[in-house]
Amino acid sequence: FCKSIQPIQTDQAPAAIGAYSQGVKVGGFIFTSGQLPLNPATGELETDIRKATKQALENVKGIIESAGSSMDKVIKVSVFLRDLEDFGPMNEVYSTYFSENPPARSAVQAARIPKDAIIEIDAIALVE
């Protein structure tokens, strides 16, 4: 089973900074690691919730697309927010990525996100 797991590596998302892959492709699925709102080109961390949500989703999108899928094939998303008060603005930006047939989603407040980021997002997508 482990030999069928393909790590995903792309410059369209920040490089992994630990013992993990940006994502993995296994069977008919892509699993992304949690994506912070880090610009992969500059390393800049977005701190405005709207810009941060967009950057984290762009990172997720980069991983999914580099593995041969697309955002319309995302089936589950997890959103970790430093402050649940940011849910409304996050949801406004999020809904622009999933306007039709949105995936299942969890959104929770997290006690501490790496790099003291205000948001982290991961996703599961189908490969077809």
Side-chain angles (χ1 to χ4, degrees), residues 66-101:
S66 75
S69 191
S70 59
M71 293 295 273
D72 64 336
K73 293 185 174 63
V74 171
I75 58 172
K76 175 70 168 81
V77 176
S78 297
V79 178
F80 304 92
L81 293 162
R82 181 168 64 193
D83 186 348
L84 207 50
E85 292 294 321
D86 287 335
F87 182 86
M90 174 279 297
N91 202 48
E92 287 174 22
V93 175
Y94 178 94
S95 65
T96 65
Y97 284 80
F98 303 107
S99 58
E100 292 185 30
N101 302 315

Side-chain angles (χ1 to χ4, degrees), residues 13 41 44 53 108-109 113 117:
E44 182 180 334
T53 302
V108 298
Q109 181 169 310
I113 298 172

